[in-house]
Structure formats: C-alpha cells, structure tokens
Amino acid sequence: MKLDLDFDKKREIPVGDSGRVRFRFRDIAVEPGKAVSLKKDFDPDFTGGYDDKEGALEKVAANVERLSAMQEILYAQDNYALLIIFQAMDAAGKDGAIRHVMSGINPQGCQVTSFKAPSAEDLDYGYLWRASKAVPGRGMIGIFNRSYYEDVLVVRVHPELLEKQKLPPSAHKADIFQKRFKEINNFEKYLRQNGTIVLKFFLNVSKNEQKKRFLARIEEPEKNWKFSPADYAERKYWDSYQTAFEDMLENTSTEWAPWFVIPADNKWFARLAVSEVISAAFERLDLRMPEVSKARKNELMQIRRQLLDEEDE
Ligand code: ATP
Ligand code: MG
C-alpha cells in the first residue's frame, strides 16, 4: 500500500547559499523491509561533506519559519495531525533537536510528551495505552520524546522490565517483540489512515561521541545537571541497544510511518536533517486554508456593515 507520504528517495537537499547538493533522503531514510546494519549503512558523523555549520543553522531557521506557517494552515484546515517520534541513546541530542526544530511554532499548536518508565497506572494497560492518550489532535503537532518504541528497546535489553508488565502467560513467548512490531505497524497505519502523519527519527550518535558528551557533562559544572549515573550504566549495554535499534528499524519502517536515521555526532547537522524531513513531509500534504462558503461570506459582509454602522463611542 502506497500512501501519499511516500518520500522520493532521490530527493536532494541543497544546503547553504551555494545550493550545492549535500545529502539525499536515501542517505537517511530506512527502506521498508530492508535489513539494517547501523555500522555499515549509517555513519553517525555523516554531513554529506558539508561543514558550513552557520549556513546549516540558517537553513534550519528558514525551515522553522516555513513550519510555523504550515502549522497555521494545518490548524485551520483541521484534517491532519503530525506526530514526530524521537528515539536515541542518551546524550544523542533529542532535547536540543526538539527545541531547535520546534522553536518558532505557536505553542498552542504543538505539544511535547516525554515518556519515562511507566507508572503503576500505565502498567495496568497495554503498552500503547499511554501513547494513544497523547497523540496530537487534528491541526496539532505532537512530539514524542521517547515513545512506545521503548517497549521494544529498553524492555528488550532489560527483560526484567517485561516481567513488570503483568502480561498474561500467553503473551510471554519468544516472539513477543515480533508481535509488538506488528502491533506498532498496525497502530501507526490506523493513525495515518485517520489523518495523523507519523515521522520517526532515530538520532544515531557514536559510542565515542557519547563518551565525549558524558565527559563534558561531568567536567563542565554548568552541564552537571544533565548527567545521570544511570545513563553511564546504560552505556554498558551499548551493543545490545544497537541490535535492538537495528531490529526495530528493520521491522517498523513502513511506507505509512518511515524511520529516518539521523547522523547525530554533529548536532547542527542532525537539526538540519530533521527540519528538512519535517518540511518535506508538510509540503507533501495537501494543506489548504478551508474554503469560505458563499453563505458564510455573506454573513461576514453583513456583520461588517453592522460594525461600520455603529456610532463610535
Ligand atoms: P533527559 O535525560 O535528556 O532528560 P531522557 O529521555 O533520557 O531525557 P530520563 O528520565 O533520563 O529522560 O529517562 C527516561 C527513562 O525512562 C529512560 O531510561 C527510558 O528507557 C525509560 N523508559 C521509557 N519508557 C519505558 C518503558 N516503557 N519501560 C521502561 N522504561 C522506560
Ligand atoms: Mg536520560
């Protein structure tokens, strides 16, 4: 099934004043059904040979302006919603990417939800419950900072978390994560078919760059608050996480909800790539201001006349 958001993988993205081509969607999009090797297929340090950080950030700012204008139409049209999901290892730059890319958007049109370890109440329901309560309504942009994908990532790396989910014995089979991939694909298809565009970003940071960022968080006092010993503990499971991410990408990148692997060792490039994908997705929607009917136009003109007839006080 092809939906209208089937990105043209050959799309080339010119960056900076020279307009020279720097990267293509096919460099970052995960082809549905294709095996993924993060090591071989995606370089965290990739910038398409581009090193004009300033130029890139100008492009991000221009994209943000376009996004803001398009969000207004999204709101007025009231047919579509946009759900943007971020997943990553710690210190990959999720928070910064979210902050930069959404900076110009009307706060009333945009909502960020962070998914932490599930509460006791969350655990009384299936793993999609808390996410379905948080999906954006028509006209809105919703951002998930982590998501139900944690249930095929951290829960897979730490099987004891699965025990806490109080599942019936029939669900506790070796194929539980394969089943979850299918459930997630179906959930996202349902969202898409009912007007919610789903875009998913995996911020791909290298192990070395994570080490550098952790060290900076320890050595620079103003960054101390960002460091959590728990993040260091998770680093020890790096390889298991990479495997879980690969399996997730391979099984849940679909035509209706594609994954993008965003090179994240250079924050400026990550922000540029994310803002480009979101702008491109918006462009492909048939966003239109709602048409004003004749009757409504007449009504407006009548009110206008009445206002003009009023005596000034
Ligand atoms: P930051 O550290 O930048 O503030 P964060 O997203 O890392 O942001 P934390 O509070 O540090 O926020 O981490 C949230 C934790 O919650 C992560 O370790 C994540 O794996 C965990 N988590 C999220 N969803 C689930 C889940 N379904 N089951 C178990 N753990 C989860
Ligand atoms: Mg954290």
Side-chain angles (χ1 to χ4, degrees), residues 20 25 107 145 153 196 206 215 218 224 227 239 247 265 279 292:
R20 265 208 288 146
F25 267 14
N145 182 352
L153 293 167
T196 303
S206 67
L215 283 171
I218 293 168
N224 282 172
F227 186 74
D239 291 344
D247 211 25
D265 276 7
S279 302
V292 186

Side-chain angles (χ1 to χ4, degrees), residues 101-136:
V101 172
M102 306 326 284
S103 56
I105 309 252
N106 176 357
Q108 293 199 80
C110 177
Q111 190 185 8
V112 183
T113 310
S114 296
F115 290 88
K116 314 267 176 185
S119 67
E121 188 189 15
D122 294 333
L123 291 170
D124 269 340
Y125 299 85
Y127 65 98
L128 291 174
W129 178 73
R130 60 178 180 160
S132 32
K133 284 194 304 177
V135 297

Side-chain angles (χ1 to χ4, degrees), residues 90 94-95 115-118 130 145-147 150-151 154-155 161 165 231:
D90 286 301
K94 274 187 289 116
D95 291 9
F115 290 88
K116 314 267 176 185
R130 60 178 180 160
N145 182 352
R146 302 185 188 269
S147 65
E150 292 292 331
D151 290 281
V154 67
V155 172
L161 293 174
Q165 297 196 342
D231 294 351

Side-chain angles (χ1 to χ4, degrees), residues 21-307:
V21 171
R22 301 299 179 174
F23 72 98
R24 294 164 197 205
F25 267 14
R26 69 159 171 252
D27 294 324
I28 56 171
V30 179
E31 215 176 306
K34 205 174 155 218
V36 173
S37 159
L38 283 171
K39 267 220 169 87
K40 282 197 216 129
D41 304 337
F42 298 100
D43 175 8
D45 197 31
F46 178 82
T47 58
Y50 192 68
D51 59 7
D52 178 9
K53 188 173 157 179
E54 293 309 312
L57 291 176
E58 271 168 32
K59 189 86 199 284
V60 174
N63 280 340
V64 166
E65 245 172 65
R66 271 164 67 215
L67 276 178
S68 163
M70 289 191 278
Q71 193 276 328
E72 267 183 45
I73 306 175
L74 189 80
Y75 190 81
Q77 193 180 12
D78 210 17
N79 288 144
Y80 298 106
L82 182 62
L83 171 62
I84 305 171
I85 296 180
F86 285 92
Q87 288 291 157
M89 294 298 286
D90 286 301
K94 274 187 289 116
D95 291 9
I98 292 171
R99 200 169 54 241
H100 271 78
V101 172
M102 306 326 284
S103 56
I105 309 252
N106 176 357
Q108 293 199 80
C110 177
Q111 190 185 8
V112 183
T113 310
S114 296
F115 290 88
K116 314 267 176 185
S119 67
E121 188 189 15
D122 294 333
L123 291 170
D124 269 340
Y125 299 85
Y127 65 98
L128 291 174
W129 178 73
R130 60 178 180 160
S132 32
K133 284 194 304 177
V135 297
R138 294 187 207 289
M140 303 286 288
I141 299 177
I143 297 178
F144 283 2
N145 182 352
R146 302 185 188 269
S147 65
Y148 43 84
Y149 281 102
E150 292 292 331
D151 290 281
V152 296
L153 293 167
V154 67
V155 172
R156 198 166 189 188
V157 173
H158 299 283
E160 66 277 12
L161 293 174
L162 200 55
E163 296 303 318
K164 288 198 191 157
Q165 297 196 342
K166 301 194 277 185
L167 297 166
S170 58
H172 269 289
K173 298 264 168 64
D175 64 351
I176 181 162
F177 295 108
Q178 284 303 319
K179 284 203 176 124
R180 285 190 172 183
F181 292 146
K182 286 198 186 121
E183 288 157 3
I184 288 172
N185 288 342
N186 286 335
F187 176 63
E188 291 173 349
K189 188 182 278 183
Y190 150 81
L191 288 176
R192 180 67 189 89
Q193 286 176 342
N194 287 277
T196 303
I197 312 306
V198 187
L199 297 175
K200 304 177 298 200
F201 297 106
F202 167 56
L203 300 191
N204 186 26
V205 76
S206 67
K207 199 174 179 187
N208 276 341
E209 182 61 27
Q210 190 198 51
K211 177 176 161 180
K212 272 193 216 157
R213 292 184 191 175
F214 279 175
L215 283 171
R217 288 175 179 192
I218 293 168
E219 288 163 5
E220 297 170 33
E222 69 278 14
K223 287 189 180 166
N224 282 172
W225 65 273
K226 283 194 200 171
F227 186 74
S228 142
D231 294 351
Y232 175 62
E234 284 314 281
R235 178 175 166 82
K236 301 199 175 110
Y237 296 93
W238 185 274
D239 291 344
S240 307
Y241 271 109
Q242 294 299 106
T243 309
F245 276 120
E246 283 171 344
D247 211 25
M248 171 198 85
L249 293 166
E250 214 169 295
N251 284 283
T252 60
S253 194
T254 55
E255 274 137 23
W256 55 92
W259 271 110
F260 295 89
V261 178
I262 303 294
D265 276 7
N266 302 284
K267 288 180 181 171
W268 59 270
F269 185 79
R271 290 166 192 173
L272 174 66
V274 168
S275 78
E276 283 291 344
V277 173
I278 300 173
S279 302
F282 255 127
E283 269 168 22
R284 285 176 170 244
L285 283 176
D286 55 338
L287 284 181
R288 267 178 272 123
M289 277 297 191
E291 277 192 25
V292 186
S293 69
K294 234 183 169 166
R296 171 108 172 113
K297 246 183 214 160
N298 287 339
E299 186 193 19
L300 291 178
M301 291 319 288
Q302 205 182 345
I303 295 174
R304 177 176 179 269
R305 273 195 299 276
Q306 283 167 358
L307 280 169

